[in-house]
Amino acid sequence: MSHRLTAPAPGWTTSTDVVVVGSGVAGLTVALNVRKAGLRAMVVTKSMLDDGSTRWAQGGIAAALGEGDTPEQHLQDTLVAGAGLCDEDAVRTLVTEGPDAVRRLIEVGAEFDLDEDGEIVLTREGGHHRRRIAHAGGDATGAEIERALVAAVEADPGLELIEHALVLDLLTDAGGHASGVTLHVMGEGQRDGVGAILARAVVLASGGMGQVFSATTNPAVSTGDGVGLALRAGAEVTDLEFVQFHPTVLFLGADAQGQQPLVSEAVRGEGAHLVDADGVRFMLGQHELAELAPRDIVAKAITRRMLAQDTEHMYLDGRHFGARMWEHRFPTILAACRTHGIDPVTEPIPVAPAAHYASGGIRTDLHGRTTVPGLYACGEVACTGVHGANRLASNSLLEGLVFAERIAADLAGLAEAGRLPARTVNTDAAHAAAPVPLLPAESRGAIQHLMSTGASVIRSAESLSATAKGLAALADPAHPAPPSVETWEATNLHQVATALTAAAALREETRGCHWREDFPDRDDTHWQHHITHPLGD
């Protein structure tokens, strides 16, 4: 049986050909490309059009654009980082189609940093053996990509936008094919409150779920709404246990909550060193790439050093860069640090790992199709198989771009073949879906505390069992909270946290960014496979 969030019946209805949920690089790329194919499109976004995770991406976008680099080398680096769980066909698709996708992004209007000869400046980041990371504005790549895509969207009067809208649940027709979504629009106007968008296809590009943890690099809107919708709709969700913790997030204190400032991998790519309070470079000897090892290795090394020295953070030392390099190469990071009273030009930056990226998500094929007909997913909300057990640095923007183009091409092909008909809503199924009791808004903090305590960088059977019990205790069907944005978000976080914890408890090994202290070794014999939800189906 499918489930749905407890919500009022839709008070208004509209329609389009393709409804896209999310306005980052993935969502806007889908929308722009289906419009080129002559289809109507509507973009639904939770806040403002440019207020998602894409604009916060500092590092860059990885692609084999440089002399001597090849898609095959990019593929090998990605497979190594993914720790045995990448889908090689998906990775090959990413790295072979990636360079041209970046060039098309430039044609849309994105301006990357260039050298004196007008060539794109390429840098290195963790896990890459070549300089293949394209940047914009030094450390403002995501912001530049989002600027260019938003400008293109706003230049298309036929592309409809609904801002300040929280997607609730999937609508389907009598055959189980996606036929739209329900949503709640915050504010006053012709469309406010709960409504419905009817569509021939639905694309989820709603971003991540970092807010399930107390400290994250994700914006406040990243509450796992897309994965929650998919779980309730019966779509397969996989690899949720693989949450990447970025090794170098500005440490603002043990009690800091919500979005924390990221100190990009690119800082280490340019030669900054990780040191402890005594100035010892503890990554030397840990991996051939030292500070540029894949993120899971660096995060674990930092965490081990913190535990061994009974401290709450390590340091990133880039004082040897000098003021000019900080100001021109990393202006965003420099400003963020100085806002919090730290000057990287003259002192090391205190850093600690924080939740950064969900390598798992809604399972898709190479065309972005999920296991529910007519429902597509791309970007961080999706699991294409590219990232495996640990995402390679700067592959996320590229994945969103490449697979968004593939979804749009699939939809265009269906339309051209007359196989994208208008859909109706199966009202009987909508009414039969079991309503999920809502958690009170204050549960959000409790969920984050439980997950950060027992299911973050270091996990064990004991910690995960305690987390699962704590999460179960928060759900009180006898006393559900009334519908509101805050209670819908808390309920999405709770559903995602519960599924993530269950998967982490099942995977009795250490692999990629999943670290079990009670099972410290990688076990290919028993665990070189995926864990898919709903569990037991």
Side-chain angles (χ1 to χ4, degrees):
M1 179 193 288
S2 63
H3 296 76
R4 60 178 174 84
L5 292 173
T6 300
W12 54 270
T13 301
T14 188
S15 65
T16 187
D17 292 332
V18 180
V19 59
V20 180
V21 181
S23 60
V25 61
L28 296 187
T29 299
V30 171
L32 288 168
N33 279 275
V34 297
R35 287 287 299 140
K36 288 179 184 177
L39 293 167
R40 294 180 301 150
M42 188 176 294
V43 174
V44 175
T45 188
K46 194 170 175 182
S47 185
M48 298 293 288
L49 186 59
D50 64 348
D51 198 20
S53 292
T54 292
R55 75 182 179 95
W56 296 100
Q58 296 174 347
I61 186 166
L65 296 164
E67 185 177 351
D69 196 7
T70 64
E72 188 66 28
Q73 293 177 71
H74 189 183
L75 179 141
Q76 291 304 320
D77 284 346
T78 301
L79 294 180
V80 169
L85 283 187
C86 294
D87 180 328
E88 187 167 338
D89 288 340
V91 179
R92 195 170 296 280
T93 297
L94 177 84
V95 300
T96 55
E97 297 182 10
D100 284 342
V102 172
R103 295 183 184 103
R104 284 188 289 272
L105 185 61
I106 293 170
E107 291 173 3
V108 170
E111 298 180 4
F112 291 97
D113 295 342
L114 307 177
D115 62 18
E116 296 82 359
D117 299 321
E119 299 295 325
I120 297 175
V121 175
L122 299 173
T123 64
R124 275 184 69 193
E125 293 182 5
H128 292 272
H129 285 79
R130 287 275 189 178
R131 285 184 170 264
R132 66 169 65 98
I133 318 300
H135 295 267
D139 58 359
T141 311
E144 170 57 20
I145 290 173
E146 187 75 1
R147 180 205 63 76
L149 290 172
V150 167
V153 165
E154 291 178 338
D156 182 351
L159 207 168
E160 195 166 357
L161 308 173
I162 302 181
E163 295 180 312
H164 304 291
L166 170 63
V167 67
L168 299 175
D169 283 302
L170 185 71
L171 296 171
T172 57
D173 66 10
H177 190 286
S179 60
V181 294
T182 56
L183 69 164
H184 173 82
V185 180
M186 298 161 261
E188 299 178 0
Q190 196 170 13
R191 293 179 187 150
D192 59 359
V194 175
I197 301 174
L198 306 184
R200 302 167 190 257
V202 175
V203 181
L204 294 179
S206 53
M209 54 189 186
Q211 290 291 326
V212 79
F213 296 95
S214 296
T216 178
T217 62
N218 289 191
V221 294
S222 298
T223 52
D225 307 320
V227 171
L229 177 151
L231 287 168
R232 291 188 297 274
E236 288 189 2
V237 175
T238 191
D239 291 350
L240 288 186
E241 68 271 33
F242 296 117
V243 177
Q244 186 177 85
F245 286 77
H246 198 288
T248 53
V249 175
L250 183 62
F251 181 74
L252 300 180
D255 298 326
Q257 290 189 326
Q259 187 177 13
Q260 314 287 301
L262 176 67
V263 182
S264 170
E265 194 114 6
V267 178
R268 280 174 282 139
E270 295 295 344
H273 304 140
L274 280 166
V275 298
D276 61 18
D278 297 321
V280 176
R281 283 186 65 188
F282 55 88
M283 284 304 301
L284 294 177
Q286 299 253 359
H287 189 275
E288 61 167 334
L289 295 176
E291 283 91 354
L292 285 178
R295 287 177 178 175
D296 64 306
I297 293 171
V298 180
K300 290 170 187 174
I302 291 174
T303 303
R304 286 193 190 100
R305 198 75 169 187
M306 286 162 51
L307 291 170
Q309 298 187 349
D310 192 25
T311 185
E312 295 174 324
H313 62 83
M314 289 288 113
Y315 293 93
L316 187 62
D317 192 351
R319 288 176 291 180
H320 54 286
F321 288 174
R324 178 173 175 78
M325 182 170 176
W326 275 109
E327 290 165 359
H328 288 82
R329 178 68 179 84
F330 303 112
T332 307
I333 297 169
L334 178 64
C337 288
R338 284 177 170 171
T339 296
H340 293 283
I342 298 151
D343 189 348
V345 176
T346 60
E347 59 186 319
I349 305 168
V351 293
H356 181 56
Y357 191 89
S359 292
I362 307 166
R363 188 170 75 83
T364 74
D365 65 10
L366 295 182
H367 300 281
R369 307 178 191 120
T370 74
T371 55
V372 173
L375 177 65
Y376 295 76
C378 57
E380 190 173 356
V381 74
C383 184
T384 62
V386 160
H387 304 309
N390 186 41
R391 175 177 67 89
L392 180 66
S394 288
N395 268 357
S396 53
L397 290 173
L398 190 71
E399 184 203 30
L401 193 62
V402 167
F403 284 88
E405 289 188 344
R406 293 191 133 242
I407 289 173
D410 192 64
L411 290 168
L414 290 173
E416 187 175 353
R419 295 168 52 207
L420 198 65
R423 301 282 171 178
T424 57
V425 175
N426 184 353
T427 54
D428 290 339
H431 290 309
V436 176
L438 303 180
L439 275 69
E442 55 269 24
S443 297
R444 180 170 179 154
I447 294 165
Q448 292 171 332
H449 176 75
L450 284 165
M451 294 297 289
S452 296
T453 302
S456 58
V457 178
I458 304 177
R459 300 163 176 175
S460 68
E462 183 179 1
S463 74
L464 292 166
S465 176
T467 301
K469 289 176 182 175
L471 290 170
L474 291 175
D476 184 2
H479 299 92
S484 71
V485 171
E486 293 76 19
T487 60
W488 286 319
E489 285 186 331
T491 304
N492 279 329
L493 285 171
H494 186 264
Q495 290 191 297
V496 171
T498 300
L500 189 163
T501 302
L506 276 177
R507 185 172 289 281
E508 295 181 335
E509 66 161 350
T510 290
R511 180 188 297 269
C513 51
H514 170 67
W515 182 9
R516 286 285 296 265
E517 60 179 347
D518 48 349
F519 294 95
D521 300 317
R522 174 170 155 176
D523 181 359
D524 283 351
T525 301
H526 299 99
W527 289 107
Q528 195 166 4
H529 63 80
H530 304 279
I531 294 174
T532 300
H533 301 262
L535 294 174
D537 286 4

